[in-house]
C-alpha cells in the first residue's frame, strides 16, 4: 500500500511540474492564433515566424554568443581551479572553496544588483561584455563542482605509471590526465552553456537597452500577454536546454568498464 501511495505521489508531483511545459509545447504547434481548444494543427507557422523575425534571431544569437563564451571560459578556469583544489594543499583552501561556491548560494537578484553596482563603479557600459562577465561568475561554480567530482575519481597510480615509463610532466598531463578529464570538461561546458542560455534575472540587471538575450526578449513579450509565437520561442529554448542537459548528464555518468 505504501509503495503504491508513493508511486501515485511521485507521478502527481511529476505531472504538476511538467504539465505546464507540455501545454506550452502543444500550443506552440497551434495552427490558429488562439491559445484555446479545440486544437488546430499541428502547424509550424509560429516557428517560421520566430525564425523570420529579426528581433528573435538577434536575441537568440546574443544568448548563444554569451553562452558559448561563458562556457568555454568557465571550462578553462573551472578545470584549473578544480585541479588546484584536488591535487594541492593550498593555503586558506577552505575559505577559497567556500567563496568559489558562493554564487550558487546567493540569490540571482542579489548577484545581479551587486554586479550592476560594480560595473557602474568601474564606469563600464552595459553590453554583451558585462552579461558575459556576469554569466561567467554565475556558471563557474557548477563547472568547478563537475571537475572536482571527476578528478576525485582519478587514480594517481596511472599517472605514476606513466612517469615510470619515461613520460615527463607535460606528456603525462596531455596523454593521461586530459583524456581522463575530457568527459568532465565537456559535461561542465554543456552545463554552463545551459545555465547561461536560460538565465534571466542576472541578465536583466547586467544587459543594456541595446543588449537583448533570448529570455529577456521572451519576458518583454509575455508582459503584453501570452501568444503562440512566445510558445514557439520558448519551445526552441526548451529543446536546446534539454539536449544540452541530457548530454551533460550522460557524460557525467560513471563509465562501465567491460571485462575481457
Amino acid at each position: 500500500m505504501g509503495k503504491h501511495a508513493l508511486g501515485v505521489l511521485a507521478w502527481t508531483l511529476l505531472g504538476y511540474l511538467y504539465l505546464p511545459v507540455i501545454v506550452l509545447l502543444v500550443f506552440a504547434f497551434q495552427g490558429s492564433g488562439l491559445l484555446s481548444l479545440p486544437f488546430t494543427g499541428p502547424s509550424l507557422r509560429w516557428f517560421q515566424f520566430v525564425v523570420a523575425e529579426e528581433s528573435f534571431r538577434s536575441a537568440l544569437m546574443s544568448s548563444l554568443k554569451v553562452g558559448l563564451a561563458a562556457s568555454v571560459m568557465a571550462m578553462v578556469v573551472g578545470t584549473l581551479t578544480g585541479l588546484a583544489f584536488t591535487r594541492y594543499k593550498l593555503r586558506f583552501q577552505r575559505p577559497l572553496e567556500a567563496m568559489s561556491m558562493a554564487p550558487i548560494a546567493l540569490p540571482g537578484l542579489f548577484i545581479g544588483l551587486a554586479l550592476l553596482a560594480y560595473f557602474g563603479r568601474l564606469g563600464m557600459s552595459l553590453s554583451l561584455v558585462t552579461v558575459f562577465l556576469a554569466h561567467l561568475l554565475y556558471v563557474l561554480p557548477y563547472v568547478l563542482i563537475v571537475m572536482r567530482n571527476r578528478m576525485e575519481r582519478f587514480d594517481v597510480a596511472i599517472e605514476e605509471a606513466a612517469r615510470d615509463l619515461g613520460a615527463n610532466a607535460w606528456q603525462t598531463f596531455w596523454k593521461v590526465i586530459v583524456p581522463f578529464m575530457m568527459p568532465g570538461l565537456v559535461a561542465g561546458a554543456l552545463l554552463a552553456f545551459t545555465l547561461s542560455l536560460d538565465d534571466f534575472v542576472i541578465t536583466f540587471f547586467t544587459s543594456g537597452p541595446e543588449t537583448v538575450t533570448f529570455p529577456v526578449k521572451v519576458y518583454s513579450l509575455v508582459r503584453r500577454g501570452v501568444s503562440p509565437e512566445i510558445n514557439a520561442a520558448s519551445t526552441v529554448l526548451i529543446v536546446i536546454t534539454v539536449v544540452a542537459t541530457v548530454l551533460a548528464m550522460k557524460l557525467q555518468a560513471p563509465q562501465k568498464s567491460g571485462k575481457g
Side-chain angles (χ1 to χ4, degrees), residues 31-220:
S32 67
L34 301 175
L35 299 179
S36 60
L37 297 175
F39 178 77
T40 59
S43 173
L44 298 178
R45 170 187 175 185
W46 302 110
F47 291 94
Q48 294 170 349
F49 174 82
V50 169
V51 173
E53 181 67 27
E54 172 62 26
S55 60
F56 278 110
R57 293 203 310 269
S58 176
L60 180 59
M61 287 304 300
S62 296
S63 290
L64 292 177
K65 289 177 182 177
V66 172
L68 288 173
S71 60
V72 171
M73 184 59 67
M75 180 180 65
V76 174
V77 178
T79 299
L80 296 177
T81 307
L83 283 173
F85 283 164
T86 55
R87 297 174 66 87
Y88 304 103
K89 294 298 181 181
L90 304 176
R91 191 178 183 184
F92 306 117
Q93 180 162 335
R94 291 289 185 181
L96 287 173
E97 290 178 349
M99 291 175 60
S100 66
M101 295 295 109
I104 296 179
L106 296 175
L109 178 64
F110 176 83
I111 296 175
L113 285 171
L115 288 173
L116 176 62
Y118 180 69
F119 293 144
R121 294 287 293 179
L122 293 179
M124 296 179 63
S125 59
L126 299 181
S127 63
L128 280 183
V129 175
T130 56
V131 176
F132 157 72
L133 294 174
H135 283 203
L136 177 60
L137 174 68
Y138 171 56
V139 304
L140 184 57
Y142 296 92
V143 178
L144 179 57
I145 290 174
V146 173
M147 292 311 304
R148 287 198 62 179
N149 180 61
R150 182 68 180 174
M151 288 308 301
E152 284 173 355
R153 300 202 299 261
F154 180 69
D155 188 357
V156 182
I158 301 176
E159 181 181 358
E160 294 174 349
R163 298 297 296 271
D164 290 340
L165 292 173
N168 56 36
W170 190 249
Q171 291 172 327
T172 302
F173 177 76
W174 280 108
K175 295 184 178 181
V176 177
I177 298 177
V178 170
F180 179 83
M181 290 192 305
M182 192 56 65
L185 287 171
V186 180
L190 288 172
L191 180 60
F193 176 76
T194 301
L195 293 169
S196 173
L197 189 67
D198 288 345
D199 179 73
F200 166 75
V201 176
I202 297 176
T203 306
F204 184 79
F205 285 98
T206 57
S207 60
E210 302 299 326
T211 306
V212 180
T213 62
F214 206 65
V216 174
K217 174 65 177 178
V218 172
Y219 171 75
S220 66

Side-chain angles (χ1 to χ4, degrees), residues 20 22-40 43 45-47 221-222 224-235:
I22 295 173
V23 172
L24 183 148
L25 295 175
V26 169
F27 279 104
F29 295 92
Q30 174 80 294
S32 67
L34 301 175
L35 299 179
S36 60
L37 297 175
F39 178 77
T40 59
S43 173
R45 170 187 175 185
W46 302 110
F47 291 94
L221 295 175
V222 169
R224 299 197 298 266
V226 181
S227 58
E229 61 265 25
I230 295 177
N231 289 339
S234 301
T235 299

